[in-house]
PDB file of all heavy atoms in Angstrom:
ATOM      1  N   TYR T  84     -42.759 -39.805 -35.224  1.00  0.00           N
ATOM      2  CA  TYR T  84     -44.048 -39.748 -35.921  1.00  0.00           C
ATOM      3  C   TYR T  84     -44.164 -38.390 -36.584  1.00  0.00           C
ATOM      4  O   TYR T  84     -43.738 -37.376 -36.018  1.00  0.00           O
ATOM      5  CB  TYR T  84     -45.227 -39.854 -34.939  1.00  0.00           C
ATOM      6  CG  TYR T  84     -45.505 -41.186 -34.309  1.00  0.00           C
ATOM      7  CD1 TYR T  84     -46.498 -41.283 -33.343  1.00  0.00           C
ATOM      8  CD2 TYR T  84     -44.812 -42.342 -34.639  1.00  0.00           C
ATOM      9  CE1 TYR T  84     -46.792 -42.490 -32.729  1.00  0.00           C
ATOM     10  CE2 TYR T  84     -45.100 -43.545 -34.024  1.00  0.00           C
ATOM     11  CZ  TYR T  84     -46.096 -43.618 -33.068  1.00  0.00           C
ATOM     12  OH  TYR T  84     -46.387 -44.802 -32.457  1.00  0.00           O
ATOM     13  N   LYS T  85     -44.769 -38.364 -37.771  1.00  0.00           N
ATOM     14  CA  LYS T  85     -45.088 -37.095 -38.425  1.00  0.00           C
ATOM     15  C   LYS T  85     -46.263 -36.442 -37.716  1.00  0.00           C
ATOM     16  O   LYS T  85     -47.123 -37.122 -37.164  1.00  0.00           O
ATOM     17  CB  LYS T  85     -45.463 -37.325 -39.889  1.00  0.00           C
ATOM     18  CG  LYS T  85     -44.276 -37.533 -40.780  1.00  0.00           C
ATOM     19  CD  LYS T  85     -44.690 -37.455 -42.228  1.00  0.00           C
ATOM     20  CE  LYS T  85     -43.451 -37.501 -43.090  1.00  0.00           C
ATOM     21  NZ  LYS T  85     -43.643 -38.277 -44.302  1.00  0.00           N
ATOM     22  N   VAL T  86     -46.305 -35.115 -37.749  1.00  0.00           N
ATOM     23  CA  VAL T  86     -47.425 -34.368 -37.171  1.00  0.00           C
ATOM     24  C   VAL T  86     -48.315 -33.942 -38.335  1.00  0.00           C
ATOM     25  O   VAL T  86     -47.978 -33.027 -39.072  1.00  0.00           O
ATOM     26  CB  VAL T  86     -46.938 -33.135 -36.386  1.00  0.00           C
ATOM     27  CG1 VAL T  86     -48.103 -32.472 -35.668  1.00  0.00           C
ATOM     28  CG2 VAL T  86     -45.850 -33.518 -35.391  1.00  0.00           C
ATOM     29  N   LYS T  87     -49.432 -34.633 -38.499  1.00  0.00           N
ATOM     30  CA  LYS T  87     -50.301 -34.384 -39.650  1.00  0.00           C
ATOM     31  C   LYS T  87     -51.399 -33.371 -39.338  1.00  0.00           C
ATOM     32  O   LYS T  87     -51.782 -32.589 -40.193  1.00  0.00           O
ATOM     33  CB  LYS T  87     -50.917 -35.695 -40.137  1.00  0.00           C
ATOM     34  CG  LYS T  87     -49.863 -36.659 -40.662  1.00  0.00           C
ATOM     35  CD  LYS T  87     -50.436 -37.996 -41.039  1.00  0.00           C
ATOM     36  CE  LYS T  87     -49.316 -38.943 -41.456  1.00  0.00           C
ATOM     37  NZ  LYS T  87     -49.701 -40.339 -41.368  1.00  0.00           N
ATOM     38  N   ASN T  88     -51.908 -33.380 -38.104  1.00  0.00           N
ATOM     39  CA  ASN T  88     -52.977 -32.467 -37.706  1.00  0.00           C
ATOM     40  C   ASN T  88     -52.425 -31.040 -37.600  1.00  0.00           C
ATOM     41  O   ASN T  88     -51.404 -30.812 -36.958  1.00  0.00           O
ATOM     42  CB  ASN T  88     -53.542 -32.944 -36.364  1.00  0.00           C
ATOM     43  CG  ASN T  88     -54.591 -32.018 -35.798  1.00  0.00           C
ATOM     44  OD1 ASN T  88     -54.282 -30.934 -35.312  1.00  0.00           O
ATOM     45  ND2 ASN T  88     -55.826 -32.462 -35.877  1.00  0.00           N
ATOM     46  N   GLU T  89     -53.114 -30.062 -38.227  1.00  0.00           N
ATOM     47  CA  GLU T  89     -52.593 -28.690 -38.282  1.00  0.00           C
ATOM     48  C   GLU T  89     -52.490 -28.043 -36.899  1.00  0.00           C
ATOM     49  O   GLU T  89     -51.489 -27.388 -36.590  1.00  0.00           O
ATOM     50  CB  GLU T  89     -53.459 -27.829 -39.202  1.00  0.00           C
ATOM     51  CG  GLU T  89     -52.938 -26.411 -39.399  1.00  0.00           C
ATOM     52  CD  GLU T  89     -51.504 -26.318 -39.921  1.00  0.00           C
ATOM     53  OE1 GLU T  89     -51.045 -27.224 -40.642  1.00  0.00           O
ATOM     54  OE2 GLU T  89     -50.828 -25.330 -39.586  1.00  0.00           O
ATOM     55  N   ALA T  90     -53.491 -28.234 -36.048  1.00  0.00           N
ATOM     56  CA  ALA T  90     -53.443 -27.637 -34.702  1.00  0.00           C
ATOM     57  C   ALA T  90     -52.262 -28.212 -33.921  1.00  0.00           C
ATOM     58  O   ALA T  90     -51.535 -27.473 -33.242  1.00  0.00           O
ATOM     59  CB  ALA T  90     -54.754 -27.882 -33.960  1.00  0.00           C
ATOM     60  N   LEU T  91     -52.062 -29.518 -34.032  1.00  0.00           N
ATOM     61  CA  LEU T  91     -50.937 -30.147 -33.336  1.00  0.00           C
ATOM     62  C   LEU T  91     -49.611 -29.718 -33.949  1.00  0.00           C
ATOM     63  O   LEU T  91     -48.614 -29.551 -33.238  1.00  0.00           O
ATOM     64  CB  LEU T  91     -51.058 -31.672 -33.369  1.00  0.00           C
ATOM     65  CG  LEU T  91     -52.270 -32.279 -32.664  1.00  0.00           C
ATOM     66  CD1 LEU T  91     -52.175 -33.798 -32.683  1.00  0.00           C
ATOM     67  CD2 LEU T  91     -52.436 -31.754 -31.257  1.00  0.00           C
ATOM     68  N   ARG T  92     -49.592 -29.521 -35.272  1.00  0.00           N
ATOM     69  CA  ARG T  92     -48.357 -29.100 -35.933  1.00  0.00           C
ATOM     70  C   ARG T  92     -47.896 -27.744 -35.403  1.00  0.00           C
ATOM     71  O   ARG T  92     -46.720 -27.553 -35.094  1.00  0.00           O
ATOM     72  CB  ARG T  92     -48.556 -29.049 -37.448  1.00  0.00           C
ATOM     73  CG  ARG T  92     -47.250 -29.104 -38.225  1.00  0.00           C
ATOM     74  CD  ARG T  92     -47.497 -29.339 -39.700  1.00  0.00           C
ATOM     75  NE  ARG T  92     -48.088 -28.174 -40.336  1.00  0.00           N
ATOM     76  CZ  ARG T  92     -47.399 -27.073 -40.647  1.00  0.00           C
ATOM     77  NH1 ARG T  92     -46.112 -26.996 -40.400  1.00  0.00           N
ATOM     78  NH2 ARG T  92     -47.996 -26.056 -41.223  1.00  0.00           N
ATOM     79  N   GLN T  93     -48.846 -26.816 -35.249  1.00  0.00           N
ATOM     80  CA  GLN T  93     -48.496 -25.490 -34.728  1.00  0.00           C
ATOM     81  C   GLN T  93     -47.953 -25.588 -33.297  1.00  0.00           C
ATOM     82  O   GLN T  93     -46.966 -24.944 -32.953  1.00  0.00           O
ATOM     83  CB  GLN T  93     -49.716 -24.556 -34.771  1.00  0.00           C
ATOM     84  CG  GLN T  93     -50.164 -24.195 -36.178  1.00  0.00           C
ATOM     85  CD  GLN T  93     -49.052 -23.580 -37.009  1.00  0.00           C
ATOM     86  OE1 GLN T  93     -48.314 -22.718 -36.547  1.00  0.00           O
ATOM     87  NE2 GLN T  93     -48.913 -24.041 -38.247  1.00  0.00           N
ATOM     88  N   LEU T  94     -48.607 -26.415 -32.478  1.00  0.00           N
ATOM     89  CA  LEU T  94     -48.161 -26.580 -31.093  1.00  0.00           C
ATOM     90  C   LEU T  94     -46.814 -27.295 -31.022  1.00  0.00           C
ATOM     91  O   LEU T  94     -45.959 -26.935 -30.201  1.00  0.00           O
ATOM     92  CB  LEU T  94     -49.217 -27.331 -30.279  1.00  0.00           C
ATOM     93  CG  LEU T  94     -50.469 -26.513 -29.955  1.00  0.00           C
ATOM     94  CD1 LEU T  94     -51.603 -27.420 -29.516  1.00  0.00           C
ATOM     95  CD2 LEU T  94     -50.165 -25.456 -28.893  1.00  0.00           C
ATOM     96  N   SER T  95     -46.598 -28.283 -31.889  1.00  0.00           N
ATOM     97  CA  SER T  95     -45.316 -28.998 -31.870  1.00  0.00           C
ATOM     98  C   SER T  95     -44.182 -28.077 -32.337  1.00  0.00           C
ATOM     99  O   SER T  95     -43.068 -28.150 -31.804  1.00  0.00           O
ATOM    100  CB  SER T  95     -45.366 -30.278 -32.705  1.00  0.00           C
ATOM    101  OG  SER T  95     -45.343 -30.000 -34.074  1.00  0.00           O
ATOM    102  N   LEU T  96     -44.468 -27.202 -33.289  1.00  0.00           N
ATOM    103  CA  LEU T  96     -43.451 -26.235 -33.739  1.00  0.00           C
ATOM    104  C   LEU T  96     -43.103 -25.262 -32.618  1.00  0.00           C
ATOM    105  O   LEU T  96     -41.938 -24.937 -32.399  1.00  0.00           O
ATOM    106  CB  LEU T  96     -43.939 -25.468 -34.975  1.00  0.00           C
ATOM    107  CG  LEU T  96     -43.980 -26.268 -36.271  1.00  0.00           C
ATOM    108  CD1 LEU T  96     -44.685 -25.489 -37.372  1.00  0.00           C
ATOM    109  CD2 LEU T  96     -42.573 -26.649 -36.711  1.00  0.00           C
ATOM    110  N   LYS T  97     -44.130 -24.804 -31.884  1.00  0.00           N
ATOM    111  CA  LYS T  97     -43.884 -23.905 -30.754  1.00  0.00           C
ATOM    112  C   LYS T  97     -43.045 -24.621 -29.695  1.00  0.00           C
ATOM    113  O   LYS T  97     -42.089 -24.051 -29.161  1.00  0.00           O
ATOM    114  CB  LYS T  97     -45.211 -23.425 -30.172  1.00  0.00           C
ATOM    115  CG  LYS T  97     -45.039 -22.402 -29.075  1.00  0.00           C
ATOM    116  CD  LYS T  97     -46.347 -21.770 -28.657  1.00  0.00           C
ATOM    117  CE  LYS T  97     -46.071 -20.641 -27.669  1.00  0.00           C
ATOM    118  NZ  LYS T  97     -47.284 -19.914 -27.310  1.00  0.00           N
ATOM    119  N   ALA T  98     -43.404 -25.867 -29.385  1.00  0.00           N
ATOM    120  CA  ALA T  98     -42.650 -26.646 -28.391  1.00  0.00           C
ATOM    121  C   ALA T  98     -41.201 -26.845 -28.860  1.00  0.00           C
ATOM    122  O   ALA T  98     -40.266 -26.731 -28.060  1.00  0.00           O
ATOM    123  CB  ALA T  98     -43.326 -27.990 -28.137  1.00  0.00           C
TER     124      ALA T  98
END
Side-chain angles (χ1 to χ4, degrees):
Y84 287 175
K85 281 192 173 142
V86 186
K87 296 175 184 159
N88 176 287
E89 184 56 29
L91 297 185
R92 200 168 71 76
Q93 292 304 315
L94 287 164
S95 74
L96 288 171
K97 185 171 187 175

